[in-house]
Amino acid sequence: ETGVTQTPRHLVMGMTNKKSLKCEQHLGHNAMYWYKQSAKKPLELMFVYNFKEQTENNSVPSRFSPECPNSSHLFLHLHTLQPEDSALYLCASSRYPLVAGEDTQYFGPGTRLTVL
Amino acid sequence: QKEVEQDPGPLSVPEGAIVSLNCTYSNSAFQYFMWYRQYSRKGPELLMYTYSSGNKEDGRFTAQVDKSSKYISLLIRDSQPSDSATYLCATSSGNTGKLIFGQGTTLQVKP
């Protein structure tokens, strides 16, 4: 397995469910990110982790709870979501946190989330 | 005002056409400019990046930055059906490296 992988690829959940999204990177990177991609909107940065420590929370509601047990794995725990949370959730990683250019971010394929 | 503006399209062109995709940005502190390509049901992949003003060419793709007018563009020559995707522009000041994305332009190249 190479690059950035995400599971599941598709998820349908009710508003009272609890679920988790998983991301794994095989690039030896130190920083990992969660983004939300909604239709007709730019990618929204949600969380940033650097060496397992959260360095940015972009005013994300508490119903989204990230977890980074090590530099290779990132989780997004979901509970009591709203229908407007339906979107593509993308994980990304980079060698260093938030540096642009060559040391840029590599994305996984995303989890398509539908909240009923 | 959005920090990065990008026409969402969709843009439909015949195979072999020259395509120009454009973005404008508002923050003069932005110094890094990137183009990502996103195929359907996939994550974005880095296509090209440039630092400050100027042009950068890679095969059929040319990225251009005009900092005086806060305008960035991606030129695709001899477009192919495999170029059909959504193209996202992104910028960063480099101080934090936080990427600011445009909305994305959907391109369809018809055989």
Side-chain angles (χ1 to χ4, degrees), chain A residues 8-9 17 27 34-36 44 55 60 62 68 72-73 78 81 83 90-91 100 109:
Chain A
R9 295 293 307 276
N17 291 157
L27 301 168
W34 279 117
Y35 284 87
K36 176 182 179 182
E44 299 171 52
T55 57
V60 180
S62 59
C68 188
S72 299
H73 294 85
L78 316 170
L81 294 192
L90 290 160
C91 173

Coordinates of all heavy atoms in Angstrom, one line a residue, chain A residues 8-9 17 27 34-36 44 55 60 62 68 72-73 78 81 83 90-91 100 109:
Chain A
P8 N -13.8 4.2 5.8 CA -14.4 3.6 4.6 C -14.4 4.6 3.4 O -14.2 5.8 3.7 CB -15.8 3.2 5.0 CG -16.2 4.2 6.0 CD -14.9 4.5 6.7
R9 N -14.7 4.2 2.2 CA -14.8 5.1 1.1 C -16.2 5.7 1.1 O -16.3 6.9 0.6 CB -14.5 4.4 -0.2 CG -13.1 3.8 -0.4 CD -12.1 5.0 -0.5 NE -12.4 5.9 -1.5 CZ -12.1 5.8 -2.8 NH1 -11.5 4.7 -3.2 NH2 -12.5 6.7 -3.7
N17 N -26.1 8.2 15.2 CA -25.0 7.2 15.2 C -23.7 7.8 15.6 O -23.5 9.0 15.6 CB -24.8 6.7 13.7 CG -26.0 5.8 13.3 OD1 -26.3 5.7 12.1 ND2 -26.8 5.3 14.2
L27 N 3.9 7.5 3.6 CA 4.9 8.4 3.0 C 6.0 8.8 4.0 O 6.9 9.6 3.6 CB 4.2 9.6 2.4 CG 3.2 9.2 1.3 CD1 2.3 10.5 1.0 CD2 3.8 8.7 0.1
W34 N -7.2 17.0 8.2 CA -8.5 16.6 7.8 C -9.1 17.8 7.1 O -9.0 19.0 7.6 CB -9.4 16.3 9.0 CG -9.3 14.9 9.5 CD1 -8.9 14.5 10.7 CD2 -9.6 13.7 8.8 NE1 -9.0 13.1 10.8 CE2 -9.4 12.6 9.6 CE3 -10.1 13.4 7.5 CZ2 -9.6 11.3 9.3 CZ3 -10.3 12.0 7.1 CH2 -10.0 11.0 8.0
Y35 N -9.7 17.6 5.9 CA -10.4 18.6 5.1 C -11.8 18.2 4.9 O -12.1 17.0 4.8 CB -9.8 18.8 3.7 CG -8.5 19.6 3.7 CD1 -7.3 18.9 3.9 CD2 -8.5 20.9 3.4 CE1 -6.1 19.6 3.8 CE2 -7.3 21.7 3.4 CZ -6.1 21.0 3.5 OH -4.9 21.7 3.5
K36 N -12.7 19.1 4.7 CA -14.1 18.9 4.3 C -14.3 19.5 2.9 O -13.9 20.6 2.7 CB -15.1 19.5 5.3 CG -16.5 19.4 4.9 CD -17.5 20.1 5.9 CE -18.9 19.9 5.5 NZ -19.8 20.7 6.4
E44 N -12.3 22.9 2.9 CA -12.1 23.6 4.2 C -11.2 22.8 5.1 O -11.5 21.6 5.3 CB -13.5 23.7 4.8 CG -14.6 24.4 4.1 CD -15.9 24.2 4.8 OE1 -16.0 24.5 6.0 OE2 -16.9 23.9 4.1
T55 N -2.2 21.0 16.0 CA -1.7 22.4 16.0 C -2.8 23.3 15.4 O -2.6 24.6 15.5 CB -0.5 22.4 15.1 OG1 -0.8 21.9 13.8 CG2 0.7 21.6 15.7
V60 N -14.0 23.9 14.3 CA -14.8 22.8 13.9 C -15.8 22.4 15.1 O -15.3 22.4 16.2 CB -14.0 21.6 13.5 CG1 -14.8 20.4 13.1 CG2 -13.0 22.0 12.4
S62 N -17.8 20.4 17.9 CA -17.3 19.3 18.7 C -17.9 18.0 18.3 O -17.4 17.0 18.8 CB -17.7 19.6 20.2 OG -19.1 19.8 20.4
C68 N -5.1 11.3 16.7 CA -3.9 11.0 16.0 C -2.9 10.2 16.9 O -2.1 10.8 17.6 CB -3.2 12.3 15.5 SG -1.8 12.0 14.4
S72 N 1.5 8.2 11.5 CA 1.0 7.5 10.3 C -0.5 7.4 10.2 O -1.1 7.0 9.2 CB 1.6 6.1 10.2 OG 3.0 6.2 10.0
H73 N -1.2 7.5 11.4 CA -2.6 7.3 11.4 C -3.4 8.5 12.0 O -2.9 9.2 12.9 CB -2.9 6.1 12.4 CG -2.4 4.8 11.8 ND1 -1.1 4.4 12.0 CD2 -3.0 3.8 11.1 CE1 -0.9 3.2 11.4 NE2 -2.0 2.8 10.9
L78 N -17.1 10.7 14.7 CA -18.3 11.4 14.3 C -19.4 11.0 15.3 O -19.6 9.8 15.5 CB -18.7 11.1 12.9 CG -17.6 11.1 11.8 CD1 -18.1 10.5 10.5 CD2 -17.0 12.5 11.7
L81 N -24.2 13.9 14.2 CA -24.0 14.8 13.0 C -25.3 15.3 12.5 O -26.4 14.8 12.8 CB -23.2 14.1 11.9 CG -21.8 13.7 12.2 CD1 -21.1 13.2 10.9 CD2 -21.0 14.8 12.9
P83 N -27.5 16.7 8.8 CA -27.5 16.5 7.4 C -26.5 17.4 6.6 O -25.9 17.0 5.6 CB -29.0 16.7 7.0 CG -29.7 16.4 8.2 CD -28.9 16.8 9.4
L90 N -11.6 14.5 3.3 CA -10.3 14.2 2.8 C -9.3 14.3 3.9 O -9.2 15.2 4.7 CB -10.0 15.2 1.7 CG -10.8 15.1 0.4 CD1 -10.7 16.3 -0.4 CD2 -10.3 13.9 -0.4
C91 N -8.4 13.3 3.8 CA -7.2 13.3 4.7 C -6.0 13.6 3.8 O -6.0 13.3 2.6 CB -7.1 11.9 5.3 SG -5.5 11.7 6.2
A100 N 4.1 25.0 1.9 CA 3.7 24.9 0.6 C 4.8 24.6 -0.4 O 5.9 24.5 0.0 CB 3.0 26.2 0.2
P109 N -8.1 9.4 -1.0 CA -9.2 9.4 -1.9 C -10.5 10.0 -1.3 O -11.5 10.3 -2.0 CB -9.4 8.0 -2.3 CG -8.9 7.2 -1.1 CD -7.8 8.1 -0.6

